[in-house]
């Protein structure tokens, strides 16, 4: 219930249940479903601040801190709440309670803030450079996980959200704002501010990444639901709701019908072709982690020990050794690429011309593995190379 708006809450819960992004990421081993739940609870406790006592205040600080420790991007969600409260809603909520909430939450998340500011260790390496079309990609992701009917669902969600904002502005101009409208202002802030802030920062430090912005999903669904309840005529309201629900179900069905990234098949292929002295490079960084996991699952006992090295280290050591006319540290390199990355696929020929691709295979839906060998060595497969000749940071 959103300040007594039962209809908005019921419609929002219904749309969230059939949202493809929510369904897809709720089934992952990562903590996205917990993150969405904690962000919703944080918003819930914030919106009922004026009516409730200190218990609500402590509950808000607790779930907000848990959200940050679940995923660091929740800090952008909290910042959006606090900016909306202090800039727009100041005086319309219990000021003393809000100050206690913000202060206590900041104290609880201070270790996480310290880590984010001073102890970052490559968690954002896989985040690409930002482009203008990434905003549209985020919209498609939130409404349909970028799958089928994404354009139609994007239009319907934007239309319903626009209705909610339009009626809010009308009441604002006519000085007829209702108590629940201040909660709607906070919801708009939680939807717009995290993408805006991360997009701007991404020109210096890449932060804008659709799945990390799942924190915006619940506010988006709530805002669209509010737009549906603003329509006084029943038939158009239920018609639009039925259309969104039907298209969302179709998008979920499409998600289940398409193949998933087959890491098990890729790892099985690697294990059957891996030789002593080989190394594996994952791109983007972290693409080798599923290989590490499935190498333990596929093998009854860990007979084949895989060696890993970063793409940055290979790119740095190859030209250094080539300039000194030394052997390149490893004779064979397996390149595991997750997604379309033409830069890394051409890196070996660009950096060291004697490295040639001698094997390769693609796996559903966005996985590929390529084998590169140093053609200057006597044996193209260089099975005689010992793993100790690989770079010192092989892990």
């Amino acid at each position: 219930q959103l300040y007594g708006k039962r209809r908005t809450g019921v419609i929002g819960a219904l749309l969230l249940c059939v949202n493809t992004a929510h369904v897809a990421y709720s089934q992952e081993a990562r903590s996205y479903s917990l993150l969405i739940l904690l962000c919703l609870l944080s918003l819930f406790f914030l919106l009922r601040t004026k009516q409730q006592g200190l218990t609500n205040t402590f509950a808000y600080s607790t779930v907000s801190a848990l959200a940050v420790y679940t995923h660091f991007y929740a800090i952008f969600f909290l910042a959006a709440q606090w900016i909306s409260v202090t800039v727009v809603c100041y005086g319309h909520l219990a000021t003393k309670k809000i100050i206690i909430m913000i202060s206590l939450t900041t104290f609880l998340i201070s270790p996480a803030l310290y880590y984010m500011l001073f102890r970052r260790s490559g968690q954002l390496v896989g985040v690409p450079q930002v482009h203008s079309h990434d905003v549209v990609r985020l919209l498609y992701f939130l409404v349909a996980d970028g799958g089928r009917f994404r354009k139609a669902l994007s239009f319907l969600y934007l239309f319903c959200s626009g209705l909610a904002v339009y009626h809010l502005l009308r009441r604002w101009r006519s000085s007829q704002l209702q108590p629940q409208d201040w909660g709607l202002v906070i919801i708009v802030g939680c939807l717009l501010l995290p993408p805006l802030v991360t997009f701007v920062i991404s020109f210096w430090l890449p932060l804008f990444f659709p799945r990390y912005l799942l924190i915006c999903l619940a506010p988006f669904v709530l805002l669209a639901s509010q737009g549906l309840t603003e329509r006084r005529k029943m038939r158009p309201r239920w018609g639009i709701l039925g259309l969104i629900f039907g298209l969302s179900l179709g998008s979920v069905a499409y998600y289940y019908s398409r193949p998933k990234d087959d890491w098990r098949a890729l790892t099985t292929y690697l294990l059957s072709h891996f030789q002593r002295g080989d190394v594996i490079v994952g791109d983007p960084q972290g693409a080798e982690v599923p290989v590490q996991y499935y190498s333990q699952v596929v093998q009854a006992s860990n007979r084949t020990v895989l060696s890993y090295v970063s793409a940055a280290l290979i790119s740095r050591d190859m030209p250094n050794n080539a300039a000194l006319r030394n052997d390149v540290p490893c004779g064979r390199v397996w390149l595991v690429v997750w997604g379309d990355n033409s830069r890394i696929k051409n890196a070996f020929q660009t950096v060291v011309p004697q490295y040639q691709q001698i094997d390769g295979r693609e796996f559903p839906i966005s996985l590929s593995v390529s084998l590169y060998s140093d053609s200057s060595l006597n044996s193209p497969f260089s099975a005689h190379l010992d793993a100790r000749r690989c770079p010192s940071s092989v892990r």
Side-chain angles (χ1 to χ4, degrees), residues 97-118:
K97 293 179 183 177
I98 293 296
I99 294 175
I100 296 175
M101 281 180 170
I102 296 176
S103 302
L104 181 57
T105 305
T106 303
F107 172 75
L108 292 175
I109 65 174
S110 55
L113 292 173
Y114 175 81
Y115 183 87
M116 284 185 275
L117 292 174
F118 303 108

Side-chain angles (χ1 to χ4, degrees), residues 168-286:
L168 174 65
L169 291 177
R170 282 189 61 184
R171 292 191 293 270
W172 198 325
R173 290 177 180 176
S174 60
S175 300
Q176 296 179 352
L177 284 175
Q178 302 172 6
Q180 64 267 23
D181 287 330
W182 298 110
L184 190 60
V185 171
I186 296 175
I187 290 174
V188 173
C190 292
L191 170 61
L192 297 181
L193 288 178
L196 178 62
V197 171
T198 54
F199 185 84
V200 172
I201 297 177
S202 291
F203 288 100
W204 294 273
L205 174 66
L207 290 176
F208 192 89
F209 202 45
R211 75 166 180 261
Y212 293 167
L213 291 170
L214 273 169
I215 53 177
C216 301
L217 178 59
F220 197 15
V221 171
L222 278 173
L223 189 62
S225 304
Q226 177 65 24
L228 285 172
T229 61
E230 294 283 0
R231 293 196 63 85
R232 297 182 179 179
K233 295 183 179 180
M234 297 293 293
R235 289 185 179 179
R237 174 196 301 164
W238 297 120
I240 296 173
L241 176 60
L243 189 56
I244 296 177
F245 185 82
L247 291 176
S248 297
L249 278 181
S251 181
V252 171
Y254 172 74
Y255 166 78
Y256 281 109
S257 65
R258 62 179 179 173
K260 306 300 184 294
D261 289 318
D262 199 346
W263 289 102
R264 183 186 293 269
L266 184 147
T267 305
T268 302
Y269 178 83
L270 270 176
L271 290 172
S272 62
H273 293 79
F274 196 86
Q275 298 182 9
R276 188 179 184 187
D278 293 359
V279 293
I280 297 173
V281 175
D283 193 83
Q285 183 174 336

Side-chain angles (χ1 to χ4, degrees), residues 128-150:
Q129 293 293 327
V130 70
H131 299 283
S132 57
H133 59 80
D134 289 338
V135 177
V136 179
R137 286 182 56 240
L138 174 62
L139 175 61
Y140 289 163
F141 171 78
L142 290 177
V143 300
D145 195 24
R148 186 166 292 181
F149 308 124
R150 60 186 181 276

